[in-house]
């Protein structure tokens, strides 16, 4: 008998991965948590039946959500990661000696527990002495904070369920206040391809544009995400993501990556015409 994991991308599109076995299944106060073993993608995490990460392609997402802002401000010292309970973004951040403090605000303790046990590839640096894990709602955590961070990374689920609040104007406005004057916000910003994802992407972009003076969108190809075409938001009070890229300084760090490099950084912000139109429609 064959076992398959299937994600519903739209009413008419399914994405399936052959599964060897299920390693974990749990129901937290916030969501259903599943971890599988697969021949093609290794181990993978799903939340409420939606793909979150696989061992084979998580490096793309975590390198792009961390190294893009860090190559613009390689001296970022105080970083807030909202969501990201699998630890992949934290793992990439701990590779920077300049980073002094990482606050990880993850609403669901069970996600961290399951990833520590079954996904050491991403959770391997959660015990770094610079990391503080707070099990609370990121929307509430940022309220009232002023100038505390150089970088905020919103590594959230999709804009429904516990993640819904992390796509609101209130949240982005509070993130702007929680950043210092040179602060950068990056967020996973859904996909431009299927209609429902594109609408969610436009809504997030509009709210970020209304909260930050500089706001751009970049892209990556993530095979196991809906359509494979994934977007990230880059917003800042001071830095432009390509004009202020510190390529030489970043390259001197000698960080070995599997996807990110400073030439791809520039290319990631060169968007397809249909994506530019979607963004311009809400700017
Ligand atoms: N980093 C992975 C990837 O490659 O895309 C997946 C994202 S990570 C698993 C998303 C996390 O956001 C989940 O662990 C979820 O519990 C957390 N989350 C959702 N809503 C949240 C909220 N309001 N505050 C804090 N964390 C939240």
């Amino acid at each position: 008998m064959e076992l398959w994991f299937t994600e519903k991308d739209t009413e008419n599109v399914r994405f399936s991965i052959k599964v060897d076995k299920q390693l974990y299944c749990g129901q937290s106060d916030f969501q259903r948590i599943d971890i599988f073993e697969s021949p093609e993608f290794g181990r993978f995490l799903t939340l409420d039946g939606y793909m979150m990460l696989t061992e084979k392609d998580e490096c793309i997402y975590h390198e792009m959500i961390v190294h893009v802002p860090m190559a613009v401000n390689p001296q970022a010292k105080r970083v807030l990661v909202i969501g990201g309970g699998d630890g992949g973004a934290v793992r990439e951040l701990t590779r920077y000696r300049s980073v002094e403090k990482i606050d990880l605000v993850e609403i669901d303790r069970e996600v961290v527990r399951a990833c520590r046990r079954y996904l050491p590839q991403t959770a391997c640096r959660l015990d770094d002495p610079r990391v503080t894990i707070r099990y609370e709602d990121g929307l509430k955590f940022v309220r009232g904070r002023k100038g505390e961070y150089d970088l905020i990374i919103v590594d959230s689920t999709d804009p429904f369920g516990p993640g819904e609040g992390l796509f609101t104007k209130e949240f982005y406005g509070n993130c702007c206040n929680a950043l210092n004057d040179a602060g950068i916000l990056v967020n996973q910003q859904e996909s431009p391809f299927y209609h429902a994802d594109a609408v969610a992407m436009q809504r997030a972009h509009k709210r970020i544009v209304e909260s930050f003076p500089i706001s751009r969108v970049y892209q990556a190809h993530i095979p196991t995400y809906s359509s494979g075409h994934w977007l990230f938001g880059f917003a800042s009070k001071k830095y432009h993501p390509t004009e202020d890229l510190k390529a030489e300084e970043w390259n001197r760090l000698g960080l070995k990556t599997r996807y990110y490099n400073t030439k791809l950084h520039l290319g990631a912000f060169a968007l397809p015409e249909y994506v530019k139109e979607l963004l311009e429609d809400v700017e």
Side-chain angles (χ1 to χ4, degrees):
M1 180 182 75
E2 290 189 345
L3 273 177
W4 291 78
F5 162 79
T6 296
E7 179 181 87
K8 189 168 100 175
D9 287 345
T10 76
E11 283 309 313
N12 310 308
V13 178
R14 299 284 188 275
F15 173 76
S16 295
I17 299 179
K18 190 171 183 182
V19 167
D20 284 336
K21 61 180 172 183
Q22 179 150 13
L23 298 173
Y24 176 79
C25 172
Q27 180 64 49
S28 74
D29 293 339
F30 302 96
Q31 54 214 334
R32 177 177 165 135
I33 306 167
D34 291 289
I35 298 177
F36 301 93
E37 184 83 69
S38 74
E40 188 61 53
F41 289 97
R43 294 184 175 185
F44 64 93
L45 166 72
T46 69
L47 296 178
D48 282 341
Y50 288 96
M51 176 59 74
M52 289 291 129
L53 69 96
T54 82
E55 286 180 326
K56 185 168 185 177
D57 69 358
E58 59 85 10
C59 63
I60 301 171
Y61 175 96
H62 292 121
E63 289 184 15
M64 289 303 279
I65 210 168
V66 168
H67 302 313
V68 165
M70 289 302 292
V72 173
N73 182 10
Q75 298 315 313
K77 292 180 173 38
R78 300 172 61 83
V79 185
L80 170 60
V81 178
I82 296 177
D86 56 275
V90 165
R91 179 196 65 205
E92 292 304 306
L93 284 165
T94 60
R95 301 175 68 192
Y96 292 83
R97 278 198 291 272
S98 55
V99 170
E100 295 170 356
K101 179 171 175 45
I102 303 168
D103 288 338
L104 174 65
V105 178
E106 163 58 63
I107 201 167
D108 194 341
R109 180 188 300 274
E110 294 311 313
V111 170
V112 176
R113 190 172 291 155
C115 292
R116 279 183 189 280
R117 183 162 175 207
Y118 294 105
L119 287 167
Q121 178 175 312
T122 57
C124 55
R125 302 291 299 165
L126 285 175
D127 292 325
D128 183 293
R130 294 169 288 177
V131 178
T132 304
I133 304 179
R134 312 275 291 264
Y135 297 109
E136 54 186 287
D137 184 340
L139 176 63
K140 298 189 181 95
F141 180 84
V142 291
R143 276 184 191 141
R145 292 180 185 269
K146 285 244 173 295
E148 291 184 32
Y149 296 101
D150 300 298
L151 172 59
I152 297 178
I153 294 176
V154 185
D155 177 8
S156 70
T157 43
D158 299 313
F160 44 79
E164 188 170 1
L166 305 182
F167 290 81
T168 60
K169 193 162 178 343
E170 178 214 351
F171 174 69
Y172 295 130
N174 287 335
C175 284
C176 191
N177 294 334
L179 287 165
N180 59 35
D181 291 344
I184 296 173
L185 169 81
V186 294
N187 61 293
Q188 78 85 358
Q189 193 152 306
E190 303 294 305
S191 169
F193 192 73
Y194 294 121
H195 178 66
D197 293 339
V199 168
M201 180 276 290
Q202 284 181 300
R203 198 167 39 229
H205 181 63
K206 177 174 172 53
R207 291 164 180 170
I208 295 171
V209 166
E210 290 166 353
S211 307
F212 284 83
I214 300 167
S215 170
R216 295 290 184 279
V217 171
Y218 61 104
Q219 63 192 349
H221 170 248
I222 304 180
T224 53
Y225 278 9
S226 176
S227 83
H229 190 176
W230 211 254
L231 300 180
F232 299 86
F234 178 108
S236 181
K237 303 178 198 177
K238 174 182 175 184
Y239 292 117
H240 186 281
T242 52
E243 293 164 11
D244 294 317
L245 168 62
K246 314 288 185 306
E248 282 179 26
E249 183 177 346
W250 190 87
N251 286 315
R252 276 200 299 275
L253 294 173
L255 296 179
K256 172 107 183 67
T257 55
R258 296 191 53 221
Y259 188 86
Y260 177 84
N261 63 56
T262 52
K263 292 208 177 341
L264 179 135
H265 177 123
L266 295 170
F269 285 88
L271 298 171
E273 286 305 305
Y274 87 93
V275 178
K276 287 164 59 181
E277 285 166 20
L278 285 168
L279 297 171
E280 284 156 10
D281 284 354
V282 293
E283 285 174 353

